[in-house]
Amino acid sequence: MSTAALTRLAEERVDHRFKGLPPDADGLTVAELTAQRRNLFTGGFTTPVLALSAERLEHNLALMETYMSRHGLAFAPHGKTSMAPQLFRRQIEHGAWGITLALPHQVRVAREFGVRRIFLANEVVDASALRWIAAELAADPEFRFVCYVDSVRGAELMDAALRGAARPVEVVVELGAGDGARTGVRTEADARAVADAVARTRTLRLVGVAGYEAQVPGADPERVREWLTRLVALAAEFDRAGRFAGAEEIMVSAGGSEWFDSVADVFARIPELSRPVLKLLRSGAYVSHDDVHYRRLTPFNRVPEEGALEPAFRLWAQVVSRPSADQAFVNAGKRDAAYDLDLPVVQVVRRDGTEHPATGIEVTALSDQHLWLGTAPDADVEVGDWVGFGLSHPCTSFDKWQLIPVAEADGTVVDYIRTYF
């Protein structure tokens, strides 16, 4: 990745754009503020403020690196989870093959920071975006870009936009996870028709097959493995038919954050093909993990001997109102806390520098700028207390904060993560 571009992040000035940061830090560069090693609780940070645990972040990065190595998988974590170039760099330093993204504008961010391998887990039929991608490929021989295709019409639109491109765009046929699922061809016959359409062009090169197993209707281990087996069989069929003639390796890709143990199991049984096989996993939520959704569904729950991810986010907000014995309100709401899958979880109450468990306190609702707390008779919470919340779904936590403090266990802030949504 580009050291110069990452350095520019450190040179950015702290100001009103970044919520939660100390008001008296205005005008400092991010590097200057980092060097001060302020404390999250006593260093002037204002509530609400979202923080990442330095120790848990490093644990999660290292654990998935070990997992990939153990199972012989390549790894392109889904960067749309965080859209944070500093985390892209750390993931690549921890052995990632590249970064997965979902939209062309996300690719532009990654390229600005020098990411050399990008898997776009989506179809691209926007002519302007395709011409920009072609220009990036022409300008950088080391840039590798792969994206989905799932229709004859889509292949034709891509071909029309890419006429005259210096290098073909590599594509994988996306196999849909079943009727009623998201994108992707529904049948093997449809997949063959799309592959034929790609073969009729000079602007596209078929290099593999891919999909997203979490979209399998009624997903469970058996149904997910059935779909993954179809995906592997499709790759083998295409190889026997010579459809990967222009590829140096055959890419077979799947893997969100809920079923990567099944992906590892099925991909371990991919038969020998005519070319080396790149078994590419794309799980992205692991980097911060969460306290509800993925904590409940992580494959490490099913295979505990593999290790355990740790939730790395905590949202801190302050009690601003205690209007009754069974209610309290804090100054964080929908613009601060992920709420698309599950409500935040109350974890600790901090008062006068000490923390105690948030016994008898739960989130009951969210407003734009308030979390509603239900409080039992034994709840020890007062106006002015800081309350720490665990969050669900990291994908919609990162997108609410543009500059996120990374804090050690004692509250010392050692870094700031810049996001681009």
Side-chain angles (χ1 to χ4, degrees), residues 74-379:
F75 192 32
H78 213 316
K80 60 90 178 175
T81 300
S82 68
M83 283 307 296
Q86 293 147 288
L87 295 183
F88 295 171
R89 177 184 62 183
R90 293 186 65 177
Q91 289 169 316
I92 290 169
E93 289 172 348
H94 278 273
W97 171 91
I99 298 296
T100 296
L101 296 165
L103 295 168
H105 84 84
Q106 296 171 353
V107 178
R108 291 187 65 191
V109 172
R111 287 298 293 159
E112 177 68 21
F113 290 89
V115 176
R116 287 285 173 81
R117 291 173 177 166
I118 294 174
F119 186 98
L120 185 69
N122 206 347
E123 284 70 23
V124 184
V125 294
D126 184 295
S128 296
L130 286 164
R131 286 192 291 268
W132 176 82
I133 289 166
E136 288 291 295
L137 289 167
D140 184 356
E142 295 185 23
F143 175 38
R144 186 172 185 193
F145 174 86
V146 183
C147 71
Y148 284 171
V149 62
D150 76 346
S151 67
V152 172
R153 171 66 171 163
E156 291 171 347
L157 288 171
M158 294 180 76
D159 181 49
L162 293 167
R163 296 280 171 82
R167 292 169 57 190
V169 169
E170 295 184 315
V171 295
V172 292
V173 172
E174 182 192 6
L175 178 66
D179 292 338
R182 205 163 59 188
T183 54
V185 297
R186 294 309 195 238
T187 69
E188 280 72 7
D190 291 339
R192 295 181 200 110
V194 173
D196 288 341
V198 170
R200 289 192 292 269
T201 76
R202 294 183 179 181
T203 59
L204 304 176
R205 176 182 295 147
L206 185 65
V207 297
V209 297
Y212 180 45
E213 73 290 338
Q215 287 290 309
V216 170
D220 60 26
E222 182 179 357
R223 289 187 178 94
V224 167
R225 284 182 171 84
E226 287 176 356
W227 178 82
L228 288 164
T229 300
R230 283 182 63 202
L231 184 70
V232 168
L234 184 63
E237 176 196 322
F238 278 11
D239 186 44
R240 288 192 301 271
R243 294 186 184 277
F244 300 129
E248 294 182 2
E249 62 184 3
I250 297 169
M251 181 179 291
V252 183
S253 179
S257 295
E258 297 177 23
W259 297 101
F260 57 76
D261 56 332
S262 298
V263 175
D265 289 345
V266 176
F267 279 15
R269 299 192 292 273
I270 292 177
E272 184 175 348
L273 302 181
S274 66
R275 289 161 174 75
V277 178
L278 185 72
K279 305 172 184 179
L280 191 67
L281 189 73
R282 307 192 308 270
S283 311
Y286 83 98
V287 68
S288 62
H289 200 40
D290 72 8
D291 278 284
V292 187
H293 181 73
Y294 287 113
R295 190 170 196 169
R296 181 174 64 240
L297 298 173
T298 175
F300 290 122
N301 290 340
R302 295 187 289 271
V303 195
E305 61 269 23
E306 295 273 20
L309 295 167
E310 297 178 353
F313 270 135
R314 179 166 282 176
L315 175 68
W316 290 96
Q318 196 166 23
V319 179
V320 294
S321 180
R322 187 81 158 96
S324 65
D326 59 359
Q327 271 191 314
F329 293 86
V330 300
N331 61 344
K334 292 179 179 179
R335 290 173 174 82
D336 312 298
Y339 62 93
D340 58 316
L341 294 180
D342 305 278
L343 292 176
V345 178
V346 189
Q347 294 178 326
V348 296
V349 176
R350 185 178 181 89
R351 182 187 305 151
D352 299 328
T354 62
E355 295 178 8
H356 62 262
T359 304
I361 309 172
E362 65 175 349
V363 176
T364 59
L366 286 87
S367 298
D368 287 349
Q369 302 296 172
H370 293 94
L371 293 178
W372 297 50
L373 305 184
T375 56
D378 61 341

